[in-house]
Amino acid sequence: RFVQSLTEHTNWVRCARWSPDNGKLIVSCSDDKTIKLWDESTGSCIHTFTEAKGFGHHVEFHPSGSCIGVGTSDGKIKVFDIRAMKLQQYYATHEAAVTQVNFHPSGNYLVSSSQDMTVRLHNLLTVKPICSVQGHEKAVNTVVFSPQGEYFASGGADGKIFVWKSNLETEGSEEGGYGSGQKSSSQMKEDTIGDSPVLRLHTSNNKENTEPQPSDLDDLPDKLANTRLSKTGGGILKSSTTSATNEVDNSEVLQELRRMGRQFGDMTRKMDRLTETVLYMEKRLSLVEEQVKLVSKTSSAVGTTADD
């Protein structure tokens, strides 16, 4: 039977989730650029987080119930502390809308999917991106950890579902994650995050058949597990294999070139519009000059007639 209606949003509601503490709270995000926290027992809005740019595409409760993760339409990932009602972490790792965020069962990691065709892993304890996983040929619409967190599955607009081995046990032992003593969510730092290393789906080298073969997908978790992540002196996590490092460098160069190409295209379109405006103004100026000459001639003719 119908119980109640929560009606304070003024546009489409994209996502709503129950809190893990027996569903005492509900969180929702909407195209009205707000993320709202609701008291289920009273139906009242407890707090509203407002987005200055974009809007919330997906929202998820942290396993502890003390935080919420939000993926936005402008490619950002935000973690809000719902006890202090403030932004706790901020990641700018995606280049397009974030379609889903999901917390690891330990609460120490977050995985996100995006319309930029990537899936990205983030370490919430060190506030750093772990890696970027590429394999989908179109937007990635969803991603979720397995119940134990050993794997995560992604689904894309290309009609494919990929299963990946998270390999976070090793990551946890090195970074103080769930493999070697956990930190509480209150110890998470506030920071802004940039790029992360890239791991790609292994596919056939045959140009005539670029679809991943079943055997490739079966071996994929082991292949990813063999690509160990180590920490460099600069603090960014990178693959310990030379080929993976080259892929990271190449990916960063390609991303930068695409970014520059988009900026150049925008500048070209603006210059075209400016040129059209200048030509239009020149035509208007010529027309005004002709009108002035005509008025001047008419005035002279009238003066001559008056003298006569």
mmCIF file of all heavy atoms in Angstrom, residues 2-3 10 17-18 40-41 76 102 105 109 113 121 165-166 179 182 205 215 222 240 246 250 253 258 263 272 274 303:
data_model
loop_
_atom_site.group_PDB
_atom_site.id
_atom_site.type_symbol
_atom_site.label_atom_id
_atom_site.label_comp_id
_atom_site.label_asym_id
_atom_site.label_seq_id
_atom_site.Cartn_x
_atom_site.Cartn_y
_atom_site.Cartn_z
ATOM 1 N N PHE A 2 0.332 2.335 -0.499
ATOM 2 C CA PHE A 2 1.055 3.605 -0.530
ATOM 3 C C PHE A 2 1.233 4.148 0.883
ATOM 4 O O PHE A 2 0.316 4.111 1.701
ATOM 5 C CB PHE A 2 0.277 4.614 -1.384
ATOM 6 C CG PHE A 2 0.915 5.988 -1.421
ATOM 7 C CD1 PHE A 2 2.006 6.234 -2.222
ATOM 8 C CD2 PHE A 2 0.415 7.018 -0.634
ATOM 9 C CE1 PHE A 2 2.586 7.486 -2.248
ATOM 10 C CE2 PHE A 2 0.982 8.264 -0.654
ATOM 11 C CZ PHE A 2 2.083 8.506 -1.472
ATOM 12 N N VAL A 3 2.443 4.668 1.180
ATOM 13 C CA VAL A 3 2.738 5.168 2.515
ATOM 14 C C VAL A 3 2.821 6.691 2.537
ATOM 15 O O VAL A 3 2.099 7.360 3.267
ATOM 16 C CB VAL A 3 4.052 4.556 3.053
ATOM 17 C CG1 VAL A 3 4.401 5.136 4.411
ATOM 18 C CG2 VAL A 3 3.922 3.042 3.140
ATOM 19 N N THR A 10 12.049 19.744 -7.684
ATOM 20 C CA THR A 10 11.321 20.509 -8.703
ATOM 21 C C THR A 10 11.625 20.046 -10.125
ATOM 22 O O THR A 10 11.214 20.693 -11.084
ATOM 23 C CB THR A 10 11.657 22.008 -8.580
ATOM 24 O OG1 THR A 10 13.074 22.192 -8.737
ATOM 25 C CG2 THR A 10 11.222 22.556 -7.226
ATOM 26 N N ARG A 17 18.136 6.324 -2.692
ATOM 27 C CA ARG A 17 18.692 5.166 -1.993
ATOM 28 C C ARG A 17 18.346 5.208 -0.503
ATOM 29 O O ARG A 17 18.302 6.274 0.107
ATOM 30 C CB ARG A 17 20.230 5.124 -2.148
ATOM 31 C CG ARG A 17 20.700 4.770 -3.555
ATOM 32 C CD ARG A 17 20.415 3.309 -3.875
ATOM 33 N NE ARG A 17 20.957 2.910 -5.157
ATOM 34 C CZ ARG A 17 20.310 3.003 -6.310
ATOM 35 N NH1 ARG A 17 19.092 3.512 -6.336
ATOM 36 N NH2 ARG A 17 20.867 2.603 -7.441
ATOM 37 N N TRP A 18 18.121 4.000 0.070
ATOM 38 C CA TRP A 18 17.919 3.874 1.508
ATOM 39 C C TRP A 18 19.268 3.840 2.215
ATOM 40 O O TRP A 18 20.262 3.340 1.674
ATOM 41 C CB TRP A 18 17.172 2.580 1.828
ATOM 42 C CG TRP A 18 15.761 2.507 1.355
ATOM 43 C CD1 TRP A 18 15.299 1.943 0.208
ATOM 44 C CD2 TRP A 18 14.599 3.012 2.031
ATOM 45 N NE1 TRP A 18 13.930 2.065 0.114
ATOM 46 C CE2 TRP A 18 13.471 2.712 1.223
ATOM 47 C CE3 TRP A 18 14.397 3.681 3.243
ATOM 48 C CZ2 TRP A 18 12.178 3.047 1.587
ATOM 49 C CZ3 TRP A 18 13.104 4.007 3.610
ATOM 50 C CH2 TRP A 18 12.004 3.705 2.790
ATOM 51 N N GLU A 40 12.870 9.206 6.846
ATOM 52 C CA GLU A 40 11.823 8.313 6.344
ATOM 53 C C GLU A 40 10.595 8.307 7.246
ATOM 54 O O GLU A 40 9.453 8.204 6.776
ATOM 55 C CB GLU A 40 12.392 6.896 6.208
ATOM 56 C CG GLU A 40 11.430 5.883 5.591
ATOM 57 C CD GLU A 40 10.491 5.269 6.618
ATOM 58 O OE1 GLU A 40 10.883 5.216 7.805
ATOM 59 O OE2 GLU A 40 9.379 4.858 6.233
ATOM 60 N N SER A 41 10.805 8.444 8.554
ATOM 61 C CA SER A 41 9.684 8.336 9.489
ATOM 62 C C SER A 41 8.715 9.509 9.393
ATOM 63 O O SER A 41 7.506 9.344 9.558
ATOM 64 C CB SER A 41 10.204 8.205 10.922
ATOM 65 O OG SER A 41 10.958 9.365 11.279
ATOM 66 N N LYS A 76 32.101 14.911 -12.062
ATOM 67 C CA LYS A 76 32.725 14.975 -10.737
ATOM 68 C C LYS A 76 32.159 13.881 -9.824
ATOM 69 O O LYS A 76 31.039 13.412 -9.997
ATOM 70 C CB LYS A 76 32.472 16.338 -10.093
ATOM 71 C CG LYS A 76 32.913 17.532 -10.942
ATOM 72 C CD LYS A 76 34.391 17.516 -11.231
ATOM 73 C CE LYS A 76 34.851 18.779 -11.940
ATOM 74 N NZ LYS A 76 34.278 18.944 -13.276
ATOM 75 N N ASN A 102 29.764 3.386 -6.581
ATOM 76 C CA ASN A 102 29.484 2.255 -5.701
ATOM 77 C C ASN A 102 30.648 2.088 -4.735
ATOM 78 O O ASN A 102 31.811 2.114 -5.146
ATOM 79 C CB ASN A 102 29.268 0.981 -6.520
ATOM 80 C CG ASN A 102 28.805 -0.186 -5.662
ATOM 81 O OD1 ASN A 102 29.536 -1.140 -5.443
ATOM 82 N ND2 ASN A 102 27.585 -0.114 -5.176
ATOM 83 N N PRO A 105 32.612 -2.991 -0.137
ATOM 84 C CA PRO A 105 32.026 -3.433 1.136
ATOM 85 C C PRO A 105 32.820 -2.998 2.364
ATOM 86 O O PRO A 105 32.243 -2.796 3.428
ATOM 87 C CB PRO A 105 32.016 -4.960 0.998
ATOM 88 C CG PRO A 105 31.924 -5.202 -0.476
ATOM 89 C CD PRO A 105 32.714 -4.102 -1.118
ATOM 90 N N TYR A 109 37.051 2.011 -0.492
ATOM 91 C CA TYR A 109 37.245 2.282 -1.914
ATOM 92 C C TYR A 109 35.918 2.652 -2.567
ATOM 93 O O TYR A 109 34.837 2.324 -2.064
ATOM 94 C CB TYR A 109 37.848 1.069 -2.634
ATOM 95 C CG TYR A 109 39.117 0.559 -1.984
ATOM 96 C CD1 TYR A 109 39.073 -0.477 -1.054
ATOM 97 C CD2 TYR A 109 40.346 1.120 -2.292
ATOM 98 C CE1 TYR A 109 40.227 -0.940 -0.438
ATOM 99 C CE2 TYR A 109 41.508 0.663 -1.684
ATOM 100 C CZ TYR A 109 41.444 -0.357 -0.767
ATOM 101 O OH TYR A 109 42.581 -0.803 -0.160
ATOM 102 N N SER A 113 31.474 4.748 -12.799
ATOM 103 C CA SER A 113 31.351 4.567 -14.249
ATOM 104 C C SER A 113 30.947 5.893 -14.873
ATOM 105 O O SER A 113 30.366 6.746 -14.206
ATOM 106 C CB SER A 113 30.308 3.490 -14.575
ATOM 107 O OG SER A 113 29.040 3.857 -14.042
ATOM 108 N N LEU A 121 38.692 3.511 -10.245
ATOM 109 C CA LEU A 121 38.770 3.108 -8.850
ATOM 110 C C LEU A 121 39.431 4.212 -8.031
ATOM 111 O O LEU A 121 40.414 4.815 -8.482
ATOM 112 C CB LEU A 121 39.572 1.811 -8.714
ATOM 113 C CG LEU A 121 38.834 0.493 -9.000
ATOM 114 C CD1 LEU A 121 39.840 -0.639 -9.101
ATOM 115 C CD2 LEU A 121 37.820 0.201 -7.911
ATOM 116 N N LYS A 165 38.628 -8.155 -11.888
ATOM 117 C CA LYS A 165 39.134 -8.469 -10.549
ATOM 118 C C LYS A 165 39.650 -7.174 -9.945
ATOM 119 O O LYS A 165 40.500 -6.498 -10.523
ATOM 120 C CB LYS A 165 40.251 -9.513 -10.613
ATOM 121 C CG LYS A 165 40.733 -9.960 -9.234
ATOM 122 C CD LYS A 165 41.692 -11.117 -9.341
ATOM 123 C CE LYS A 165 42.233 -11.513 -7.984
ATOM 124 N NZ LYS A 165 41.166 -11.957 -7.060
ATOM 125 N N SER A 166 39.153 -6.827 -8.774
ATOM 126 C CA SER A 166 39.516 -5.537 -8.174
ATOM 127 C C SER A 166 40.953 -5.509 -7.683
ATOM 128 O O SER A 166 41.597 -4.454 -7.703
ATOM 129 C CB SER A 166 38.573 -5.219 -7.004
ATOM 130 O OG SER A 166 38.674 -6.212 -5.999
ATOM 131 N N GLY A 179 42.954 -5.041 4.215
ATOM 132 C CA GLY A 179 43.839 -6.189 4.344
ATOM 133 C C GLY A 179 44.808 -6.070 5.517
ATOM 134 O O GLY A 179 45.427 -7.038 5.913
ATOM 135 N N GLN A 182 41.968 -1.240 9.174
ATOM 136 C CA GLN A 182 41.225 -0.216 8.469
ATOM 137 C C GLN A 182 41.261 1.104 9.220
ATOM 138 O O GLN A 182 41.406 1.143 10.428
ATOM 139 C CB GLN A 182 39.775 -0.663 8.292
ATOM 140 C CG GLN A 182 39.648 -1.976 7.547
ATOM 141 C CD GLN A 182 38.206 -2.412 7.493
ATOM 142 O OE1 GLN A 182 37.317 -1.686 7.852
ATOM 143 N NE2 GLN A 182 37.979 -3.637 7.064
ATOM 144 N N ASN A 205 44.368 -9.036 -31.369
ATOM 145 C CA ASN A 205 45.126 -8.154 -32.253
ATOM 146 C C ASN A 205 44.623 -8.202 -33.684
ATOM 147 O O ASN A 205 45.072 -7.458 -34.541
ATOM 148 C CB ASN A 205 46.617 -8.530 -32.239
ATOM 149 C CG ASN A 205 47.249 -8.229 -30.892
ATOM 150 O OD1 ASN A 205 46.884 -7.253 -30.243
ATOM 151 N ND2 ASN A 205 48.193 -9.065 -30.489
ATOM 152 N N SER A 215 37.402 -16.466 -24.063
ATOM 153 C CA SER A 215 38.598 -16.870 -23.323
ATOM 154 C C SER A 215 39.303 -15.661 -22.743
ATOM 155 O O SER A 215 39.886 -15.726 -21.659
ATOM 156 C CB SER A 215 39.558 -17.630 -24.254
ATOM 157 O OG SER A 215 39.914 -16.808 -25.366
ATOM 158 N N ASP A 222 42.679 -12.729 -13.931
ATOM 159 C CA ASP A 222 44.065 -13.107 -13.678
ATOM 160 C C ASP A 222 45.028 -12.127 -14.313
ATOM 161 O O ASP A 222 46.073 -11.796 -13.756
ATOM 162 C CB ASP A 222 44.339 -14.520 -14.207
ATOM 163 C CG ASP A 222 43.527 -15.569 -13.437
ATOM 164 O OD1 ASP A 222 43.229 -15.321 -12.254
ATOM 165 O OD2 ASP A 222 43.201 -16.600 -14.044
ATOM 166 N N SER A 240 53.507 -1.442 -12.317
ATOM 167 C CA SER A 240 54.925 -1.755 -12.222
ATOM 168 C C SER A 240 55.480 -2.309 -13.518
ATOM 169 O O SER A 240 56.676 -2.489 -13.655
ATOM 170 C CB SER A 240 55.148 -2.771 -11.096
ATOM 171 O OG SER A 240 54.432 -3.966 -11.379
ATOM 172 N N ASN A 246 53.745 2.720 -20.298
ATOM 173 C CA ASN A 246 53.649 3.346 -21.613
ATOM 174 C C ASN A 246 52.206 3.630 -21.982
ATOM 175 O O ASN A 246 51.891 4.662 -22.586
ATOM 176 C CB ASN A 246 54.286 2.434 -22.675
ATOM 177 C CG ASN A 246 55.799 2.340 -22.513
ATOM 178 O OD1 ASN A 246 56.405 3.256 -21.938
ATOM 179 N ND2 ASN A 246 56.399 1.275 -22.992
ATOM 180 N N ASN A 250 50.733 7.218 -22.966
ATOM 181 C CA ASN A 250 50.024 7.410 -24.233
ATOM 182 C C ASN A 250 48.597 7.888 -24.011
ATOM 183 O O ASN A 250 48.095 8.750 -24.728
ATOM 184 C CB ASN A 250 50.019 6.103 -25.034
ATOM 185 C CG ASN A 250 51.401 5.704 -25.510
ATOM 186 O OD1 ASN A 250 52.286 6.563 -25.615
ATOM 187 N ND2 ASN A 250 51.610 4.440 -25.779
ATOM 188 N N VAL A 253 48.591 11.541 -23.106
ATOM 189 C CA VAL A 253 48.852 12.369 -24.293
ATOM 190 C C VAL A 253 47.604 12.463 -25.165
ATOM 191 O O VAL A 253 47.225 13.545 -25.629
ATOM 192 C CB VAL A 253 50.036 11.788 -25.102
ATOM 193 C CG1 VAL A 253 50.168 12.512 -26.443
ATOM 194 C CG2 VAL A 253 51.335 11.931 -24.321
ATOM 195 N N ARG A 258 42.935 15.380 -27.269
ATOM 196 C CA ARG A 258 41.482 15.529 -27.458
ATOM 197 C C ARG A 258 40.982 16.812 -26.817
ATOM 198 O O ARG A 258 40.145 17.521 -27.375
ATOM 199 C CB ARG A 258 40.748 14.329 -26.843
ATOM 200 C CG ARG A 258 40.986 13.014 -27.571
ATOM 201 C CD ARG A 258 39.991 11.963 -27.092
ATOM 202 N NE ARG A 258 40.352 10.633 -27.578
ATOM 203 C CZ ARG A 258 40.934 9.706 -26.854
ATOM 204 N NH1 ARG A 258 41.237 9.950 -25.592
ATOM 205 N NH2 ARG A 258 41.221 8.508 -27.370
ATOM 206 N N GLN A 263 39.097 22.416 -27.544
ATOM 207 C CA GLN A 263 39.293 23.847 -27.311
ATOM 208 C C GLN A 263 39.526 24.595 -28.621
ATOM 209 O O GLN A 263 38.988 25.689 -28.823
ATOM 210 C CB GLN A 263 40.471 24.062 -26.364
ATOM 211 C CG GLN A 263 40.215 23.569 -24.942
ATOM 212 C CD GLN A 263 41.441 23.698 -24.055
ATOM 213 O OE1 GLN A 263 42.546 24.010 -24.534
ATOM 214 N NE2 GLN A 263 41.267 23.468 -22.768
ATOM 215 N N ASP A 272 34.555 32.275 -36.193
ATOM 216 C CA ASP A 272 33.611 32.340 -37.314
ATOM 217 C C ASP A 272 32.435 33.248 -36.979
ATOM 218 O O ASP A 272 32.015 34.076 -37.803
ATOM 219 C CB ASP A 272 33.100 30.935 -37.656
ATOM 220 C CG ASP A 272 34.178 30.063 -38.276
ATOM 221 O OD1 ASP A 272 35.167 30.632 -38.778
ATOM 222 O OD2 ASP A 272 34.027 28.825 -38.271
ATOM 223 N N LEU A 274 32.457 35.667 -34.795
ATOM 224 C CA LEU A 274 32.967 37.032 -34.716
ATOM 225 C C LEU A 274 33.146 37.636 -36.106
ATOM 226 O O LEU A 274 32.813 38.803 -36.344
ATOM 227 C CB LEU A 274 34.303 37.041 -33.958
ATOM 228 C CG LEU A 274 34.952 38.416 -33.737
ATOM 229 C CD1 LEU A 274 34.031 39.313 -32.940
ATOM 230 C CD2 LEU A 274 36.289 38.260 -33.016
ATOM 231 N N GLY A 303 18.353 73.721 -49.595
ATOM 232 C CA GLY A 303 18.988 75.034 -49.356
ATOM 233 C C GLY A 303 19.117 75.845 -50.629
ATOM 234 O O GLY A 303 18.896 77.044 -50.644
#
